[in-house]
Amino acid sequence: ILPANDRLGNYQVAALMLPAEEVGGDYYDFFETVSGEQWVTIGDVSGHGVESGLIMMMTQTSIISVLNTANGLLPSKLLSSINTIIRNNIIRLDVERYMTLMAVHLTNSSLLLAGKHTDLLVLRSSDLSVETVSTEGTWIGITDDIEGCMKDIEITINRGDIILLYTDGATEGKNFSGEMFGDERLIKSFKIHSGLPVNEIVQNMLADILEFQQSQDDDITLLVIKKIF
């Protein structure tokens, strides 16, 4: 159910997800709505396995349905609506689950995003510097109403800039010494491979992460967005 690498308007998008078990709980999607809006979403359901995979699928279906029936939604409003749906489904499943979730609306000159998830990294084409953008808000599915808990953040994006979204499985894997891959190694890998096509960026970064890890204990997702026009 995960999308194939594609182009969304002025952006190229590539992603991959490597589950720790047969069924993963990581989630990502990118698509254009019936009204022409372009969105990218990424999230991580607590735990992994079948129950987490079910919640991930519910989230994907709910987001597409909401965005195709309502134009001009702020990401924060989208997430508030999704939380109500997912919270009800978690109660019906009688499981203890929640998820991080970030929604990103792509425009010609910026990203508008909301949600509590891992940091977002922006590599600037002008000087190859990497900016770290912390996300604010709350998790999905832990309470009935998150209205007012989410903050919309706008980031200006220029031609050639590259954005990296990821789940914590990319940074928290440990080597034989118990040392985590961490943010610094992730940023270094991002910079080293940033000159490649977007699909090769995620593939080479995943190879760096797996080479470092003693074993894979969590799902790993990497998603790259590059502004080409």
Side-chain angles (χ1 to χ4, degrees), residues 26 42-44 99-104 113-121 132-136 139 153 164-172 183 186 218-219 221-223:
D26 277 6
I42 187 169
D44 184 359
M99 71 180 298
T100 65
L101 183 61
M102 184 193 305
V104 185
L113 63 97
K116 184 63 177 175
H117 189 63
T118 54
D119 295 340
L120 177 147
L121 302 179
T132 300
V133 180
S134 298
T135 57
E136 302 179 17
W139 296 318
I153 301 171
L164 174 65
L165 310 178
Y166 58 96
T167 57
D168 56 12
T171 55
E172 295 182 356
D183 297 335
L186 187 74
D218 197 3
D219 305 328
T221 296
L222 300 167
L223 190 154

Side-chain angles (χ1 to χ4, degrees), residues 118-134:
T118 54
D119 295 340
L120 177 147
L121 302 179
V122 182
L123 188 147
R124 298 296 184 182
S125 59
S126 57
D127 58 4
L128 299 184
S129 63
V130 174
E131 300 174 10
T132 300
V133 180
S134 298

